[in-house]
Amino acid sequence: MLSGGEMQANNMTHNLKEIFGYFKADGTFLKGEPYGSGHIHDTFYVETAEVTKDNYILQRLNNNVFKKIPELQENIERVTIHLRNKLREIPGSDIKRECLSLIPAIDGKSWIRDSNGSYWRMYIFITNHKSYNIVDSSGKAFEGGKAIGRFQAMLADMPGGPLHETIPWFHNIEKRLETFNSKVKEDPAGRVIFLGKDIENVFQREEKMKIILKLGREGKIPSRITHNDTKFNNILLDENDKALCVIDLDTVMPGFVHYDFGDAIRTVANKSPEDEKDLSKIAMDINLFNAYAEGYLSQAGSTLNEVEKEYLAFAPQLITYTIGVRFLTDYIDGDKYFKIHHENHNLQRARAQLQLVHSMEEQYDEMRRIINRLT
Ligand code: ADP
Ligand code: GN1
Ligand code: MG
């Protein structure tokens, strides 16, 4: 912490107190500090001086990743209004904790632009939540599944037309592979020479990964409103480890249910961190897979068609592969997209993801049996 609410992050100094002042918050700025382990935005926890008032999450938005911040914010406004309306109909809901609450800026928008050109937004801090990068029990996995199933079910009837596509082709593996291939050819950071085996691991699996897009084009699986970033630390649990709130709504937009199911399994059922260096430790835990699937299907099962259900067991392979390809692409590109904490971080992440795909492939038959039994 520097003076009077100033905070250094990513080699920039931000006056959090001044930025806080641009929002219509209830309470007086006491202090701010970096928060969480997201890979995209700069996130700060802001504590207010009054114990009875809310605390806040202040975020400097990554506008390298999100090119159209007003559209992004419009999506989040629409989604949170709709979720709040739904929660109002459920007796006993704790709306401030079960849904993100954006704080409007003084000019009425849900974001501001500071004198450096940075975009900021603010949410009420969700009290008494628990957030995990790793899941250590079936109970937590089940609750995670419930949270995402309920989230999708609640958004199914959101009025007002399609949401903006905040990142075009976000989970489109054909586009991701095109970008990967062109970066491999271009080799902008001179790293490709060291990556023979990694690139081979990607190429080997290219064809089978296109099936979900194909089913979508054939009209066999519908486009729905999906979250698209369901890693477990974006699902907050309450003090008793029960499903509380789905956060990180930046990528809520049209998608296939497989994207949310797959991304959640990628993190829920991996007993090791996303960036585990020791590949021998990486494996998908079939019991955690089972528990998440059970929680998810308890909420969303009745809305899915037969083809959607049939491909749920494949979804974790697709998304884990897609994210592995994205980490490797970013490594080849010289680390421009994801925040990294050391030089080879994106490579380590990519290798861990591709190892996890391998473990999912080995357990695919059992995963299918589990989904068949649950549906
Ligand atoms: P990123 O896109 O960088 O992952 P997130 O929106 O997920 O950013 O926020 C980063 C972290 O901040 C989350 O993983 C969570 O720990 C925390 N966080 C975000 N919003 C809230 C909130 N309203 N209340 C409590 N914690 C939050
Ligand atoms: C990013 O924002 P965060 O850290 O929750 C990324 C996801 C990746 C994830 C990998 C907008 O998620 O797509 O799966 O990192 N979000 C964006 O950990 O690119
Ligand atoms: Mg996040």
Side-chain angles (χ1 to χ4, degrees), residues 35-142:
Y35 194 83
S37 52
H39 296 341
I40 303 297
H41 305 300
D42 292 338
T43 300
F44 302 92
Y45 169 68
V46 171
E47 196 175 319
T48 53
E50 303 84 356
V51 280
T52 54
K53 304 248 158 116
D54 290 323
N55 296 315
Y56 297 93
I57 284 285
L58 194 51
Q59 287 184 312
R60 188 172 85 95
L61 302 178
N62 184 330
N63 71 316
N64 174 41
V65 167
F66 296 101
K67 310 285 184 199
K68 295 180 180 169
I69 301 288
E71 289 189 357
L72 165 79
Q73 287 297 107
E74 191 184 304
N75 276 6
I76 299 183
E77 288 166 31
R78 284 182 59 196
V79 167
T80 53
I81 288 172
H82 184 73
L83 291 176
R84 214 167 295 126
N85 288 338
K86 290 267 164 177
L87 289 170
R88 273 198 202 100
E89 291 165 14
I90 305 172
S93 295
D94 186 352
I95 295 177
K96 259 195 198 173
R97 294 176 68 226
E98 291 178 41
C99 177
L100 280 176
S101 314
L102 278 167
I103 303 297
I106 286 164
D107 64 5
K109 294 200 183 81
S110 67
W111 48 274
I112 64 127
R113 216 165 172 194
D114 72 11
S115 50
N116 302 317
S118 294
Y119 291 90
W120 295 80
R121 74 174 165 220
M122 199 158 84
Y123 291 119
I124 293 178
F125 180 80
I126 297 173
T127 53
N128 297 325
H129 75 262
K130 292 195 179 165
S131 163
Y132 299 94
N133 287 325
I134 292 192
V135 178
D136 60 4
S137 72
S138 297
K140 289 181 191 126
F142 179 85

Side-chain angles (χ1 to χ4, degrees), residues 37-39 229 231 233-234 247-248:
S37 52
H39 296 341
D229 191 0
K231 73 173 168 185
N233 69 14
N234 289 329
I247 62 165
D248 202 343

Side-chain angles (χ1 to χ4, degrees), residues 27 40 61 89 100 106 113 120 138 142 160 182 185 205 214 229 249 254 269 283 285 294 304 306 314 355:
I40 303 297
L61 302 178
E89 291 165 14
L100 280 176
I106 286 164
R113 216 165 172 194
W120 295 80
S138 297
F142 179 85
S182 71
K185 282 202 191 90
R205 296 173 165 94
K214 183 165 170 277
D229 191 0
L249 306 179
D285 184 312
E294 215 174 322
L304 305 182
E306 289 309 311
F314 174 70
Q355 182 66 30

Side-chain angles (χ1 to χ4, degrees), residues 75-259:
N75 276 6
I76 299 183
E77 288 166 31
R78 284 182 59 196
V79 167
T80 53
I81 288 172
H82 184 73
L83 291 176
R84 214 167 295 126
N85 288 338
K86 290 267 164 177
L87 289 170
R88 273 198 202 100
E89 291 165 14
I90 305 172
S93 295
D94 186 352
I95 295 177
K96 259 195 198 173
R97 294 176 68 226
E98 291 178 41
C99 177
L100 280 176
S101 314
L102 278 167
I103 303 297
I106 286 164
D107 64 5
K109 294 200 183 81
S110 67
W111 48 274
I112 64 127
R113 216 165 172 194
D114 72 11
S115 50
N116 302 317
S118 294
Y119 291 90
W120 295 80
R121 74 174 165 220
M122 199 158 84
Y123 291 119
I124 293 178
F125 180 80
I126 297 173
T127 53
N128 297 325
H129 75 262
K130 292 195 179 165
S131 163
Y132 299 94
N133 287 325
I134 292 192
V135 178
D136 60 4
S137 72
S138 297
K140 289 181 191 126
F142 179 85
E143 290 298 318
K146 256 176 82 176
I148 296 301
R150 197 167 86 125
F151 181 85
Q152 282 178 355
M154 280 177 144
L155 289 177
D157 62 350
M158 192 177 78
L163 291 162
H164 299 293
E165 229 187 319
T166 55
I167 300 180
W169 317 113
F170 189 53
H171 284 310
N172 185 311
I173 190 58
E174 291 172 1
K175 297 278 176 192
R176 294 289 183 184
L177 285 167
E178 272 172 32
T179 309
F180 175 75
N181 283 318
S182 71
K183 290 292 170 190
V184 169
K185 282 202 191 90
E186 198 189 322
D187 192 14
R191 288 172 163 177
V192 166
I193 188 164
F194 307 108
L195 304 176
K197 184 82 182 72
D198 304 287
I199 293 170
E200 178 54 31
N201 272 334
V202 171
F203 284 165
Q204 244 177 38
R205 296 173 165 94
E206 253 179 299
E207 279 317 305
K208 73 166 175 176
M209 295 297 172
K210 297 177 181 167
I211 183 70
I212 296 293
L213 287 175
K214 183 165 170 277
L215 293 170
R217 280 194 288 263
E218 290 168 355
K220 293 184 177 153
I221 54 172
S223 169
R224 302 180 188 266
I225 298 179
T226 48
H227 181 282
N228 298 306
D229 191 0
T230 51
K231 73 173 168 185
F232 200 69
N233 69 14
N234 289 329
I235 306 171
L236 304 185
L237 303 186
D238 72 8
E239 54 279 64
N240 302 313
D241 284 329
K242 300 290 177 208
L244 180 64
C245 183
V246 178
I247 62 165
D248 202 343
L249 306 179
D250 300 322
T251 50
V252 180
M253 56 185 165
F256 299 119
V257 290
H258 305 89
Y259 297 155

Side-chain angles (χ1 to χ4, degrees), residues 3-7 13-20 58 120:
S3 65
E6 285 191 335
M7 171 62 62
T13 303
H14 306 297
N15 191 327
L16 295 183
K17 185 174 177 183
E18 186 186 323
I19 292 156
F20 178 86
L58 194 51
W120 295 80

